[in-house]
Amino acid sequence: MINIVTVFAVTMFFSCEGNLKEVQKINAINKTPVGIAENFVLKYTDSTRLTAVVSGPVFEDYANQAFPYREFPKGFHVDFYDKDNQKSSASANYGIIYSDTKLIDMKGNVVLKTYDGKILNAPQLYYDQENQWIFTEGDYKFTSPDLNMQGVGIDFNKEFTVVSSHGNSGTAVVKDSEDTE
């Protein structure tokens, strides 16, 4: 009788083991994107006015995840157009857009260029779409016609008109003011 109970228990154990593996497969997080685009060009408009053109080798949409995101695993390039049709751009070796938080994480050779000649280079930058604020706690290099600086940690609005640098060094062109008495 003990042998029959032992055989039954061992059979149940192996049977449950097989079912457990199937349940684990079902419950595993599915990281399959809902869409993949290769060699893509996305154009964004507002009232028929072109506002941005995003391009790159691969775009993956993970809108099916609990924390949805869109990923540019092989990099991207974006041209932005202001209301006067002046073009600024951003590019990086990798990018990810978190849909719920509206945060964009750009990594690897990040370059921002404004229409008026300002250039920011960094290994990583974040862009808060909701507040239109760009920031990094890492290294950066900023150049413009009248200012060159580098440092660690900077944040600013998308027009570069409000800037807070955390630690920097550089050079600036200062115009002499003339007395008009």
Side-chain angles (χ1 to χ4, degrees), residues 52-122:
V53 177
V54 182
S55 61
V58 177
F59 168 74
E60 299 175 347
D61 186 355
Y62 292 90
N64 58 343
Q65 300 300 306
F67 191 67
Y69 61 95
R70 293 172 289 179
E71 187 173 33
F72 305 89
K74 295 184 179 181
F76 67 90
H77 179 86
V78 183
D79 289 326
F80 299 98
Y81 299 91
D82 68 12
K83 63 182 188 267
D84 297 323
N85 206 33
Q86 296 172 318
K87 181 174 78 170
S88 297
S89 66
S91 61
N93 295 341
Y94 172 85
I96 188 166
I97 302 171
Y98 297 102
S99 304
D100 290 349
T101 60
K102 305 223 183 298
L103 186 70
I104 300 174
D105 182 359
M106 300 170 274
K107 294 179 185 172
N109 195 31
V110 181
V111 180
L112 301 182
K113 294 180 182 180
T114 63
Y115 70 90
D116 58 354
K118 297 172 186 155
I119 301 172
L120 181 78
N121 299 84

Side-chain angles (χ1 to χ4, degrees), residues 167-178:
N168 63 49
S169 62
T171 59
V173 175
V174 180
K175 297 179 183 176
D176 288 334
S177 63
E178 296 179 12

Side-chain angles (χ1 to χ4, degrees), residues 35-47:
I36 298 173
E38 293 181 344
N39 300 315
F40 66 91
V41 176
L42 303 170
K43 295 183 179 185
Y44 294 87
T45 60
D46 181 10
S47 302

Side-chain angles (χ1 to χ4, degrees), residues 113-146:
K113 294 180 182 180
T114 63
Y115 70 90
D116 58 354
K118 297 172 186 155
I119 301 172
L120 181 78
N121 299 84
Q124 182 172 23
L125 281 177
Y126 298 97
Y127 178 55
D128 177 346
Q129 295 178 76
E130 188 135 332
N131 296 307
Q132 297 187 349
W133 201 253
I134 303 163
F135 58 95
T136 185
E137 293 300 318
D139 295 335
Y140 71 90
K141 181 179 178 185
F142 177 82
T143 57
S144 72
D146 58 353

